[in-house]
Amino acid sequence: MRTVLAREMGGCSVLGRIWGVWRRRPGVRAVPKAPGFGTEAGHRLRSRGSSKRSRPLGGQPFPELLQLENLSREELVDVLRAAVVDQKGKPGELTLFSVLPELSQSLGLGDQELQVVQASGKETSGLVLLSSCPQTASRLQKFFIHSRRAQRPTATYCAVTDGIPATSEGKIQAALKLEHVDGVDLVIPVKSPSRKDFQEGVKRTLSHFRVVAMGSGCALVQLQPLTVFPSQLQVHMVLQLCPVLGDHTYSAHVGTVLGQRFLLPAESTKPQRQVPDEALLRRLCLTPSQAAQLPLHLHLHCLHLPGMRPGEAPMKLLAPLPSYFSRTLQCLGLHQQ
């Protein structure tokens, strides 16, 4: 296993960058290259902020998050040199796909077209893999498919959860379906699915989780999806009664009575802003209005890839944590053991 920069692999210009998109208003977060990116040092989760406890934040609690309405196409292409945004979008919407031709030209690739090889959900920060080489892209996509069939994880996410899983590690299995509810596409768990359910779009999903650190009623969790489904990791953590911090869609499915958590019916529970309790707000040094803007704390930290040439060792691509994620770890006292 060798750890490499995501920018060049085998001369095929496979690109990997940190990315992030704001939920209500599509945006792009510019993240400078960090010293640990693409190195073994970057593999260690660490807080990069001050050693002192963070002070309350001002009017803009997450300054790295930019809004697309404030960017021109040229500025977005410049930002994409260091950050990649949502892989899908509505017609006419300013997204990664809509500016891939300009990005290709900006990177000096000439007539070579860039395509997305691997990406996570649009609210998730971390790595996105682009390729200008069709053969490399096809080979990598086949690698990911074969790995899933063999239940070999290729991606590792970091998450901060509101709540602590009952066990330190394990597997989460659930049958999920995608439903359009009140104008919103939502992922719904299905109990005891029938053969007809699977014929109508229900999918079996599987993820592995491991608790890395605990503190202040929260946990730092490593997640490895072994299947692919929209919002899979968020829903899986809700099923553990530990929603991801900043999950303003599915965290509403977890209710609390007399300090005990329970699942609410997903079909009848509308998405709403996550509301951390007062103790957690104090630890995070956030006001309720700032907490309503809390980004999803789910980060694609590591991708495992095969060697690009016969006989080459496998590779590992790494993305350091965003500064807001590191700040949260510092505030909550969550550190890798």
Side-chain angles (χ1 to χ4, degrees), residues 254-269:
V254 179
T256 305
V257 172
L258 300 176
Q260 298 297 315
R261 296 189 174 195
F262 62 95
L263 282 176
L264 293 168
E267 296 85 350
S268 59
T269 305

Side-chain angles (χ1 to χ4, degrees), residues 29-292:
R29 180 174 54 79
V31 184
K33 288 177 67 176
F37 183 66
T39 65
E40 283 293 342
H43 184 62
R44 297 182 180 179
L45 300 179
R46 60 192 183 278
S47 173
R48 295 184 291 164
S50 167
S51 59
K52 298 179 181 180
R53 182 173 179 179
S54 299
R55 297 177 180 178
L57 299 173
Q60 172 50 275
F62 313 107
E64 285 185 343
L65 294 169
L66 306 179
Q67 280 76 49
L68 281 179
E69 58 264 29
N70 298 328
L71 297 177
S72 67
R73 292 183 71 90
E74 293 77 12
E75 289 170 332
L76 178 58
V77 171
D78 289 338
V79 170
L80 284 170
R81 291 176 181 272
V84 179
V85 295
D86 183 13
Q87 75 226 35
K88 294 183 180 178
K90 300 176 182 178
E93 193 175 30
L94 193 57
T95 65
L96 170 61
F97 272 128
S98 73
V99 297
L100 279 181
E102 289 104 316
L103 179 59
S104 180
Q105 292 296 321
S106 178
L107 293 170
L109 298 176
D111 295 332
Q112 300 179 73
E113 294 184 0
L114 283 170
Q115 58 182 300
V116 177
V117 179
Q118 179 82 339
S120 55
K122 73 174 185 178
E123 301 159 34
T124 307
S125 64
L127 286 163
V128 162
L129 209 56
L130 306 177
S131 176
S132 61
C133 175
Q135 291 79 12
T136 297
S138 176
R139 181 166 179 256
L140 287 172
Q141 288 165 349
K142 289 178 181 177
F143 167 77
F144 291 130
I145 291 172
H146 293 160
S147 296
R148 285 196 295 271
R149 288 175 178 171
Q151 295 195 355
R152 291 193 303 267
T154 57
T156 299
Y157 291 75
C158 300
V160 177
T161 61
D162 182 2
I164 300 173
T167 58
S168 60
E169 65 178 302
K171 290 185 178 180
I172 306 168
Q173 301 183 64
L176 303 179
K177 66 177 178 179
L178 194 61
E179 280 196 0
H180 197 69
V181 181
D182 294 332
V184 180
D185 288 329
L186 294 176
V187 176
I188 306 295
V190 179
K191 293 182 178 179
S192 305
S194 65
R195 180 178 297 180
K196 182 180 179 181
D197 289 328
F198 289 116
Q199 293 173 345
E200 295 178 350
V202 174
K203 301 292 184 183
R204 290 188 176 93
T205 61
L206 176 64
S207 301
H208 180 268
F209 74 93
R210 183 174 71 87
V211 176
V212 177
M214 300 178 290
S216 305
C218 297
L220 172 60
V221 181
Q222 285 187 351
L223 294 165
Q224 293 180 317
L226 297 171
T227 53
V228 176
F229 200 84
S231 304
Q232 173 178 317
L233 295 179
Q234 291 161 252
V235 175
H236 279 188
M237 293 317 297
V238 164
L239 294 176
Q240 297 293 300
L241 303 179
C242 299
V244 177
L245 196 64
D247 181 354
H248 301 293
T249 300
Y250 297 102
S251 61
H253 296 172
V254 179
T256 305
V257 172
L258 300 176
Q260 298 297 315
R261 296 189 174 195
F262 62 95
L263 282 176
L264 293 168
E267 296 85 350
S268 59
T269 305
K270 294 183 178 181
Q272 61 183 4
R273 288 288 173 185
Q274 188 180 48
V275 183
D277 62 33
E278 292 184 5
L280 183 52
L281 284 177
R282 288 195 298 270
R283 293 287 303 191
L284 295 173
C285 302
L286 295 175
T287 65
S289 61
Q290 289 172 336

